[in-house]
Amino acid sequence: MAKELTERDKAYWATNLRLIITCICIWATVSFGFGIILRPVLMGISIGGADLGFWFAQQGAILTFLSLIVFYAWRMNRLDTEFGLED
């Protein structure tokens, strides 16, 4: 027998989806926006011998992605605690 979704379940998943969408938008902005689309604008700024657009495409996107993973795990642990779903 299927369990019915309560308002609390819907609020949990809505918050989770909003968090996922926010993280994906930040990652896409950094990797595609700064690394590809805005690269010509960022070419004049140098960091460590490379232009800023190249830096975002190579290291910046990876560091942002790793930071988002850590943030997502931390926030989901807090969200689970708020909704009483911790292990």
Side-chain angles (χ1 to χ4, degrees):
M1 186 154 76
K3 178 185 170 188
E4 283 193 39
L5 292 177
T6 63
E7 291 301 317
R8 185 173 164 211
D9 296 333
K10 291 177 185 178
Y12 174 82
W13 285 109
T15 306
N16 187 7
L17 286 175
R18 188 171 47 248
L19 179 62
I20 290 170
I21 290 169
T22 301
C23 288
I24 288 174
C25 288
I26 291 169
W27 174 76
T29 300
V30 170
S31 62
F32 294 114
F34 292 137
I36 297 171
I37 297 171
L38 293 176
R39 180 150 189 234
V41 176
L42 299 173
M43 284 179 67
I45 304 169
S46 179
I47 288 189
D51 67 82
L52 190 59
F54 177 78
W55 188 87
F56 271 115
Q58 297 301 312
Q59 288 90 3
I62 295 168
L63 293 175
T64 301
F65 183 66
L66 292 174
S67 300
L68 286 173
I69 290 171
V70 171
F71 170 74
Y72 179 77
W74 171 77
R75 182 61 182 111
M76 281 306 298
N77 285 335
R78 286 191 56 210
L79 186 66
D80 289 347
T81 303
E82 289 173 22
F83 282 89
L85 300 173
E86 67 273 349
D87 290 340

